Amino acid sequence: MRVQSSATTAKPIAVTAPPETRGLGTAQAALGVVAFSLTFPSTAWGLESFGPWSLVALREVLAAVVAGGCLLAAGARPPARRHLAGLAVVAVGVVLGFPMLTTLALQTSTTAHAAVVVGLLPLTTAVFSALRTGARPSRRFWLAAVAGAAAVIGFTVAQSGGALSAADGYLFGALLVCAAGYTEGGRLARVMPGWQVIGWALVLCLPLAVPAGALALAHEPVHLSFHGVAGLVWVAIGSTFLGLLVWYRGMAAIGIPRASQLQLAQPLLTLVWSALLLGEHFTVAAPLTAVAVLVCIAVTQRS
């Protein structure tokens, strides 16, 4: 009698995270969004004391020292060679590219304008995720994501008078490199702890950041102030390390496309922080955009 192999008869089983895991993952991703929403106001504060190149280099060095200390204290093993390419994408996109491009943009752009442009990041990340990981969100998911992005674009164009600037070029470039870094980091967070993903990415950049920081400090003036130092500390530890730590853990639990849609709320949170911390004023378009974006978030989370 012939026995048919179970390998040919077994049906693939879909692995779905339990509700409690999805709830925790959503909460972690949301905490990451809150941390990221403070990045632009904190960067504006940091630019009061440091030049753009100095601020980015010092931000990376400080974050890498904290991350390296945590990796050492935890006895974390160095990443496998097969993960180095992915960590390099995270480093170039999230640790170096996004901070540098957005800092350059904030020299001539308001934090509010930058926030709404970067509001396109969820849609950009979802596209990168589909291309890189083979994820196939539903049609309703994509329609809601595009609607949210359209609301953000409409808000941006209305606020800028229909004209795009060099700062917008920096911001659109930041979208691309950050989406690539988020996608690769979310993928790696499924096979290694999320905090180690960003930790090793930061450590990989340290040999470049130290000489870059020394060179920048030698050519850019420094005027220390409470705002400047507080802004540097937050973007280094709050946004770059702690924010990305919980963000990657959240993405690993609920998936890259769904987690990325939570970032539709980020520009609206940044508007609030900009008003409270920087005294910026906004038109009635801000709350209208908020309602549209929150509706899109609700739809994507249910898709």
Side-chain angles (χ1 to χ4, degrees):
M1 185 176 87
R2 296 180 60 187
V3 179
Q4 190 173 15
S5 171
S6 61
T8 61
T9 59
K11 296 181 179 179
I13 301 175
V15 180
T16 303
E20 59 272 16
T21 300
R22 294 197 300 271
L24 178 60
T26 300
Q28 289 173 326
L31 283 175
V33 170
V34 173
F36 299 154
S37 70
L38 279 161
T39 300
F40 286 171
S42 299
T43 300
W45 273 11
L47 287 171
E48 294 180 12
S49 294
F50 305 96
W53 299 96
S54 300
L55 180 61
V56 173
L58 291 174
R59 166 183 178 169
E60 203 289 314
V61 170
L62 181 57
V65 169
V66 173
C70 291
L71 290 169
L72 186 63
R77 295 181 178 181
R81 181 174 298 181
R82 66 181 182 277
H83 298 323
L84 292 180
L87 287 172
V89 174
V90 176
V92 172
V94 177
V95 177
L96 296 178
F98 185 80
M100 187 71 260
L101 291 170
T102 54
T103 300
L104 290 173
L106 286 172
Q107 290 187 104
T108 57
S109 172
T110 65
T111 58
H113 183 81
V116 291
V117 173
V118 175
L120 294 175
L121 185 57
L123 180 59
T124 311
T125 303
V127 172
F128 269 80
S129 172
L131 296 175
R132 178 66 178 88
T133 66
R136 293 295 181 268
S138 67
R139 181 177 299 178
R140 186 172 65 170
F141 178 98
W142 284 111
L143 289 175
V146 171
V152 170
I153 292 174
F155 181 86
T156 305
V157 173
Q159 292 294 304
S160 62
L164 299 181
S165 63
D168 293 317
Y170 288 131
L171 292 171
F172 286 126
L175 284 175
L176 296 178
V177 297
C178 190
Y182 277 174
T183 300
E184 202 63 25
R187 186 186 67 83
L188 288 173
R190 292 180 176 274
V191 295
M192 60 191 297
W195 73 274
Q196 291 189 22
V197 173
I198 185 58
W200 287 116
L202 286 164
V203 171
L204 284 175
C205 292
L206 195 57
L208 177 62
V210 170
L215 183 63
L217 288 172
H219 291 84
E220 292 180 338
V222 175
H223 306 287
L224 294 181
S225 67
F226 172 78
H227 280 180
V229 174
L232 170 62
V233 170
W234 179 258
V235 294
I237 299 177
S239 298
T240 305
F241 182 61
L242 296 179
L244 286 170
L245 186 157
V246 293
W247 175 245
Y248 282 140
R249 288 178 64 91
M251 281 199 295
I254 66 176
I256 298 171
R258 178 172 293 180
S260 71
Q261 298 312 302
L262 291 174
Q263 278 198 304
L264 284 171
Q266 184 175 324
L268 308 171
L269 290 173
T270 299
L271 292 178
V272 174
W273 297 125
S274 297
L276 294 176
L277 301 177
L278 304 176
E280 294 187 2
H281 301 281
F282 315 106
T283 66
V284 70
L288 293 178
T289 306
V291 173
V293 168
L294 290 177
V295 170
C296 293
I297 292 175
V299 173
T300 57
Q301 291 300 297
R302 290 179 177 273
S303 298

